[in-house]
């Protein structure tokens, strides 16, 4: 089965340590990357290998973690998707860094149709905003705002209504007793 590759990246005018601090805030109460208005990204504890989490209908487990540099999530749901997504921070030298989000997924069955029609437009919109938030957190502005086409806005509204756990208004984590 063929895997899909989807990459979003943004060079940032900050050292890797500053960008890594943003990365390490994912899913924490002080999360500075995950955009509001989308289903909340949550973990059942601080980011560490083996910790489950997810956003909206997507569930995963942290499979690899190098604090401040790299975190990989292996998908555990929904059924029909096999693969991972990850964030990495690379030094570009001279106080500059690259923040990259990579998705590698193999959709099965009807999910092949869901990818271009629903999943990719939503994924691209969310992770474009993640990179925009990183830049704004580090510089106070955004040189290249993420696109917000009409179709992504419609899907965002539908995702917000259908997402388990609701839309992220304030950061938070899954409690140990939450499913």
């Amino acid at each position: 089965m063929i895997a899909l590759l989807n990459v979003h990246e943004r060079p940032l005018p900050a050292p890797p340590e500053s960008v890594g601090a943003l990365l390490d805030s994912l899913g924490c109460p002080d999360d500075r990357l995950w955009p509001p208005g989308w289903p909340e990204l949550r973990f059942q504890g601080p980011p560490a290998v083996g910790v489950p989490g997810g956003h909206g209908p997507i569930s995963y487990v942290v499979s690899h973690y190098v604090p401040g540099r790299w975190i990989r999530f292996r998908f555990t749901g929904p059924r029909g998707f096999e693969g991972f997504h990850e964030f990495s921070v690379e030094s570009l030298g001279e106080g500059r860094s690259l923040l990259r989000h990579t998705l590698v997924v193999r959709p099965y069955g009807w999910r092949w149709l869901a990818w271009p029609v629903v999943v990719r437009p939503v994924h691209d919109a969310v992770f474009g905003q993640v990179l925009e938030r990183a830049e704004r957190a580090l510089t106070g502005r955004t040189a290249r705002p993420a696109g917000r086409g009409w179709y992504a806005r419609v899907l965002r509204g539908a995702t917000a209504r259908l997402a388990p756990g609701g839309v992220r208004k304030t950061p938070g984590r899954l409690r140990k007793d939450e499913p």
Side-chain angles (χ1 to χ4, degrees):
M1 175 96 13
I2 297 172
L4 301 171
L5 172 67
N6 183 275
V7 178
H8 294 89
E9 58 186 28
R10 187 169 292 206
L12 298 166
E17 297 76 27
S18 297
V19 179
L22 294 176
L23 180 63
D24 291 340
S25 79
L26 271 174
C28 294
D30 64 339
D31 188 334
R32 297 187 304 164
L33 285 181
W34 198 255
W38 291 99
E40 184 176 1
L41 185 142
R42 301 186 295 176
F43 295 111
Q44 291 182 7
V49 172
V51 172
H55 55 276
I58 311 300
S59 60
Y60 36 77
V61 65
V62 177
S63 62
H64 300 78
Y65 184 48
V66 177
R69 294 292 184 186
W70 176 51
I71 188 165
R72 178 178 283 183
F73 310 98
R74 180 181 48 79
F75 293 115
T76 57
R79 293 175 54 133
F81 289 103
E82 179 182 291
F84 67 89
H85 72 110
E86 67 183 18
F87 286 95
S88 60
V89 177
E90 296 177 28
S91 175
L92 297 176
E94 301 178 13
R96 295 181 45 79
S97 303
L98 182 72
L99 178 59
R100 177 181 294 132
H101 178 267
T102 304
L103 170 80
V104 176
V105 66
R106 287 183 192 91
Y108 292 94
W110 66 270
R111 303 278 188 195
W112 272 104
L113 293 174
W115 171 256
V117 175
V118 177
V119 179
R120 183 176 183 155
V122 169
H123 173 83
D124 288 349
V126 170
F127 289 97
Q129 288 181 19
V130 166
L131 297 177
E132 182 178 289
R133 286 178 55 85
E135 184 175 3
R136 189 173 293 120
L138 294 165
T139 68
R141 62 182 185 79
T142 303
R144 295 181 313 162
R148 291 169 177 78
W150 69 270
Y151 188 61
R153 286 192 310 270
V154 167
L155 292 173
R156 177 181 177 172
T159 300
R161 284 189 295 282
L162 299 174
V167 171
R168 176 179 184 261
K169 293 181 179 79
T170 58
R173 294 182 191 271
L174 288 172
R175 294 188 319 259
K176 295 284 185 193
D177 60 338
E178 285 183 291

